[in-house]
Amino acid sequence: MTKEQLQQFFVSQGDKSFRGTQVYEWLWGKGAHSFDDMTNISKETRQMLDDNFVINHIRVDQMQRSSDGTIKNAVKLHDDLTVESVLIPTPSRTTACVSSQVGCSLDCKFCATAKLKRMRNLNPDEIYDQVVAIDNESRLYFDKPLSNIVFMGMGEPLMNYNNVLKAIEKITSPEGLGMSPKRITVSTSGVPKMIKKMADEEVKFKLAVSLHSAIDEVRTSIMPFNATFPLNDLREALEYWYAKTKSRITYEYVVWKGINDRRKDVEALVKFAKYVPCKVNLIEYNPIGDDHFKQAPDETTDMYVRELERNGITVTVRRSRGKDIDAACGQLANKS
Ligand code: SAH
């Protein structure tokens, strides 16, 4: 329920609308899981709330810790489905990697989540609650609040756009967690229509695109939906995004042996990366038990770095975190 709905409910009960604000703050500001926690509300009122409502909060069913400090939460939803979210600590920041869907509707060949198929979209509160759970863990284990959020868990955020946006509104609002949108990154495999919509709405968070190839034929072979949303449409949408937001795009890119390790793959990426101000993140491949995909050797990654840098494009090589607990990119599949 919105704050207004809660206020109206209390007024309809002959109480003050202020009571609705209090309940709302308990739910969203303090993450209360039970009406009994709401100590500034009378016992009778709490009982009345308990008789009339349920709090559909998520429950961290299982928490695993990696040898590198990464934490993975298996999160049970009210209908018994599970999603995963990850806390990635570094000396300077702690990042939450959250899920937006149960499973995924896309079919990227190299991703474990894709094998689950999409079961349903997460509600805004289910997304928000994952962040709250990780924020609590960050305070508990690392003595500091969460600093960044990436929508790089399970699901395609732009296929659940409205709920993701509502969750981000709550995360950034002073009544929620009051986080700056600049510390939030939404990662998409590239849905041109939705990228344009976000640009029109002048959203303030950052955009990352899982590119993996700048050649249509190759990209379609590993990300089949590219046949529907080819690179030209993606390019056009990204140009539109940059014109409206002036916000630099991050491309995520894995280099695989025998798939995108040729010179012409590098050249195509260099060309694509020049369309819109961007940076390229070369990410490590995390095996998902499929022999078709193998990380290219370091020399190939070096060739990518050299060529991108020679062309004035910012490039970083990112090592995976949490591999030993299947918490790394593309490994989220509710295995344990
Ligand atoms: N659907 C969104 C959000 C998922 S983000 C998107 O595609 O961007 C997860 C990131 O991990 C994406 O960049 C994805 O391409 C990448 N990824 C998927 N499987 C991977 C794997 N096995 N190893 C490394 N990265 C992978």
Side-chain angles (χ1 to χ4, degrees), residues 85-96:
S85 29
V86 182
L87 163 57
I88 308 147
T90 70
S92 59
R93 52 169 76 168
T94 54
T95 302

Side-chain angles (χ1 to χ4, degrees), residues 167-182:
I168 293 178
E169 274 164 19
K170 204 131 263 174
I171 292 164
T172 51
S173 88
E175 284 162 354
L177 298 176
M179 269 181 81
S180 161
K182 299 222 157 34

Side-chain angles (χ1 to χ4, degrees), residues 104 106 108 110-112 151-153 155-157 187-189 208-210 212 223 252 254 283-288 329-331:
C104 190
L106 301 179
C108 304
F110 45 81
C111 180
F151 281 80
M152 296 187 187
E156 168 50 51
S187 176
T188 176
S189 36
V209 174
S210 304
H212 302 307
M223 304 170 81
E252 296 152 281
V254 177
I283 59 183
E284 205 182 332
Y285 175 56
N286 303 304
I288 58 160
C329 294
Q331 291 188 314

